[in-house]
Amino acid sequence: MKLFVGLGNPGSKYARNRHNIGFMAVDRIADDHGFGPWKSKFQAEIAEGRLGSEKVLLIKPQTFMNRSGQSVGEAMRFYKLDSTDVTVFHDELDLAPGKVRVKAGGGHAGHNGLRSIHEHISPAYDRVRLGIGHPGRKEMVSPYVLGDFAKADADWLDDVLRGVSDGAGHLADGDGGKFMNAVALRTAPPRSSKSPAESPKPGSKSTPEPEVDDRSAMQKLLDKFK
């Protein structure tokens, strides 16, 4: 079994906050992949389902962000899992809006949810870092992450959530590369290899190529005086 943990704060007041993009990600996975109904357990909302061959438990801690580790640790111990079976979806200030990265282990970079999880299960778990950008000044961070996404963010946010959901099965299988490819197909779809210059419009006349003059110099001179 794998634990997919979305980080956020409970309640409608925080539902559209940038800090809650982790909740949004696991909600999209649950909706798209036919997970069971959300239930209350482990101080969290949980939903069970399958991604490919893997059984997956989605978790949204209801302890508020700075105590997220309590819920994650409780679920991990109940199912006798290792921290490496846990993947956490969270907002990332150090990535531009719409950027997604996968990371195994590492520090918490001041993120209160990650800090709490570190304390309860160790730093040895996987993360999906969901970029929200940085407000530019340290004193603006708190109101920024606890502020709602702007209307202008709607398109890229939807692309990111769809991409994360598309690649969730690869993530459960431990294939971060294929997961990132699935995200990229939503957030940065490939362009057509043909440019307009390479594809003339129907009915248009192409410029004729100049004829090659393969006469010798002597022949050219003789022809000149004919």
Side-chain angles (χ1 to χ4, degrees):
M1 174 184 270
K2 302 291 185 181
L3 301 185
F4 279 10
V5 181
L7 294 187
N9 287 309
S12 58
K13 175 182 177 181
Y14 303 101
R16 296 298 299 171
N17 282 185
R18 295 179 180 89
H19 221 17
N20 274 41
I21 193 173
F23 274 12
M24 297 174 196
V26 294
D27 277 336
R28 180 59 64 91
I29 292 171
D31 290 344
D32 290 352
H33 296 275
F35 274 63
W38 292 97
K39 301 176 182 178
S40 295
K41 195 173 183 180
F42 310 126
Q43 304 178 71
E45 288 186 2
I46 65 170
E48 296 184 19
R50 300 193 77 86
L51 292 171
S53 61
E54 286 285 348
K55 185 175 182 181
V56 175
L57 184 72
L58 303 178
I59 302 178
K60 294 189 294 182
Q62 301 296 293
T63 52
F64 285 93
M65 186 69 80
N66 61 354
R67 294 181 179 176
S68 300
Q70 295 176 5
S71 172
V72 179
E74 194 175 329
M76 198 180 81
R77 288 188 293 273
F78 180 86
Y79 289 105
K80 297 179 172 61
L81 299 174
D82 189 81
S83 63
T84 54
D85 297 313
V86 176
T87 300
V88 177
F89 298 77
H90 67 91
D91 57 302
E92 178 59 72
L93 286 163
D94 293 333
L95 286 178
K99 297 293 183 182
V100 178
R101 295 289 183 271
V102 179
K103 183 179 181 181
H108 54 67
H111 191 290
N112 288 334
L114 299 184
R115 180 187 284 114
S116 177
I117 293 172
H118 271 50
E119 293 171 355
H120 285 269
I121 74 169
S122 90
Y125 57 90
D126 293 338
R127 307 95 186 272
V128 176
R129 305 163 65 211
L130 304 168
I132 61 169
H134 197 287
R137 299 202 311 273
K138 186 176 181 180
E139 63 271 19
M140 291 297 295
V141 166
S142 183
Y144 177 74
V145 298
L146 293 176
D148 287 356
F149 282 107
K151 288 183 178 180
D153 297 324
D155 287 344
W156 71 255
L157 179 59
D158 187 60
D159 286 342
V160 164
L161 298 178
R162 286 176 183 274
V164 166
S165 179
D166 291 347
H170 299 306
L171 203 60
D173 288 338
D175 195 329
K178 286 185 178 179
F179 167 76
M180 288 301 301
N181 286 342
V183 173
L185 285 174
R186 290 287 187 179
T187 59
R191 295 180 180 179
S192 171
S193 59
K194 288 187 177 182
S195 67
E198 293 171 330
S199 305
K201 294 180 181 179
S204 64
K205 294 182 179 180
S206 57
T207 304
E209 293 185 10
E211 294 182 4
V212 178
D213 189 346
D214 56 0
R215 295 174 299 166
S216 68
M218 179 62 73
Q219 187 64 49
K220 289 178 183 179
L221 184 60
L222 291 172
D223 290 344
K224 187 175 180 181
F225 291 99
K226 279 185 177 180

